[in-house]
Amino acid sequence: MNVVDPIAAEATKLFESVYGGRPQGLWAAPGRVNVIGEHTDYNEGFVLPMAIDRYTVVAAAKRTDGRLRVVSSAGDQRVIEVDLAALTPGFPQGWTEYPAGVAWALRGAGILKENFTGADLAFVSTVPVGAGLSSSAALECSTGLALAGLAGAETDLSTADLARLSQYAENAYANVPCGPLDQLASAFGEDGRVLFIDTRSFEIAPHPFDLAAAGLTLLVIDTKVSHDHGESGYPARRASCEKAAAALGVRALRDLTPADLERAQRELDEVTARRVRHVVTEDERVEQFVSLLTEGELVGERLRAAGELMTASHVSLRDDFEVSCDELDVVVDAALRAGAHGARMTGGGFGGSAIALVSVGDAEQVSESVLAALPQAEIFRAIPAQGAHRVR
């Protein structure tokens, strides 16, 4: 059975119980894991995410009164209703900002015409919320596909536009200053592949990532420490990077090389210089990791090098960018002690999840070590999965 099928069945059931009648279609979008390349996307740098086999599915049907109604299986299953013509950034509050923001962005882009007459949407998701796995991007991308589908505008909404408008909705409507990483991963994800993304050009190069063939698996460790990009230190980190780029006379920190780090130390305060060092070295780590993938399976020396890059990424995020937390550090250390080849926090930080690259035979002992160190953690294996698509 396709992993999406049971989620789609639950979304259909929710739609029928709340709205009555059958949905006209179902659409799905995945969460993501970022293998390496953190806080580089809003610096126009390099990232290496993969969509994962955790999905948000929306069952949807058109309305005729210009209203948008949304409901989720999470929480109290209360229906939120808004007038499409009255959509404005910051309203409504809470999780509904995201689907409302996508509707607003699609209207502004002309994907939804003025004569679009509204929709009923019912969401079911297996992407953990607040875990650093892009639950908001999955919500946005599934909404975008559903609304375009109901409007008969699928061909007007390219995959790139879906990612771009979803990010725009999160930035301008929900007031979350995220970069494009999450939405690009959710929209463009491919089975069995990671995506090497240049976030300046939006050039995307898929690379095979068949861990099973190399006897490996990728464990996702949800610390259960929830985060919120809009309320955490995320906006401050982005502002610090933009301030540094301006002070150093470059468009974005992506334009700096390791040779520029000495100048950054001279011309910037100590904290800002460390922020710069993380971004510059993280871009390098992404490119080095991709080079290992192009050489073949992650075995032997390539596996050792890949693991070291992942762990170095975590150290940089912890010490230079200061976006880790005690729980993330604890599970990374526990995984490495138990034999993980590499481990790092993934996502924006301040909570959320870590990942560990482990040999299949060591997965159980690594999991046991992590749970002994942080009993509240939830661990699952992730595989590269299909991006946003229509289910039926």
Side-chain angles (χ1 to χ4, degrees), residues 77-335:
Q77 298 188 18
R78 183 167 58 96
V79 176
I80 307 296
E81 183 172 337
V82 294
D83 184 346
L84 280 172
L87 291 177
T88 185
F91 174 81
Q93 293 289 316
W95 75 271
T96 53
E97 276 187 305
Y98 297 100
V102 171
W104 172 81
L106 292 178
R107 281 170 61 89
I111 304 296
L112 297 185
K113 308 298 183 184
E114 290 298 323
N115 61 356
F116 179 69
T117 54
D120 285 333
L121 306 176
F123 295 92
V124 174
S125 183
T126 58
V127 185
V129 175
L133 303 175
S134 299
S135 59
S136 60
L139 182 58
E140 291 155 357
C141 289
S142 59
T143 299
L145 284 185
L147 293 178
L150 294 177
E154 297 99 329
T155 57
D156 297 327
L157 184 68
S158 68
T159 306
D161 285 339
L162 174 65
R164 179 179 58 83
L165 291 170
S166 293
Q167 183 204 356
Y168 178 65
E170 188 154 348
N171 292 166
Y173 200 92
N175 196 32
V176 177
C178 65
L181 160 64
D182 297 351
Q183 292 81 9
L184 287 169
S186 185
F188 281 95
E190 294 187 20
D191 285 325
R193 294 175 182 268
V194 289
L195 307 177
F196 177 41
I197 304 175
D198 180 334
T199 63
R200 170 172 288 172
S201 67
F202 277 27
E203 181 180 354
I204 299 175
H207 287 266
F209 202 55
D210 187 355
L211 296 178
L216 301 170
T217 190
L218 192 70
L219 298 181
V220 178
I221 306 161
D222 180 359
T223 65
K224 297 298 182 179
V225 178
S226 184
H227 71 165
D228 184 316
H229 279 347
E231 298 176 0
S232 69
Y234 188 100
R237 296 302 185 278
R238 179 164 186 166
S240 179
C241 290
E242 291 169 351
K243 171 186 171 183
L248 295 170
V250 293
R251 170 174 156 174
L253 295 186
R254 176 256 180 76
D255 295 308
L256 300 177
T257 69
D260 295 307
L261 292 180
E262 185 176 340
R263 180 167 71 94
Q265 286 185 308
R266 289 197 312 268
E267 299 181 13
L268 303 172
D269 64 85
E270 185 266 338
V271 171
T272 305
R274 285 194 286 109
R275 305 292 188 250
V276 171
R277 182 168 61 193
H278 164 70
V279 174
V280 172
T281 58
E282 186 79 345
D283 274 335
E284 271 203 312
R285 284 186 284 269
V286 175
E287 291 185 291
Q288 290 168 5
F289 200 104
V290 171
S291 293
L292 294 172
L293 294 180
T294 61
E295 292 170 5
E297 290 183 354
L298 292 181
V299 296
E301 184 63 22
R302 286 191 296 276
L303 176 57
R304 183 194 63 78
E308 289 178 352
L309 288 170
M310 291 176 66
T311 304
S313 172
H314 182 79
V315 171
S316 182
L317 288 159
R318 182 192 68 199
D319 297 344
D320 280 351
F321 221 65
E322 296 181 286
V323 292
S324 189
C325 65
D326 290 344
E327 292 84 355
L328 286 167
D329 296 340
V330 162
V331 298
V332 166
D333 290 345

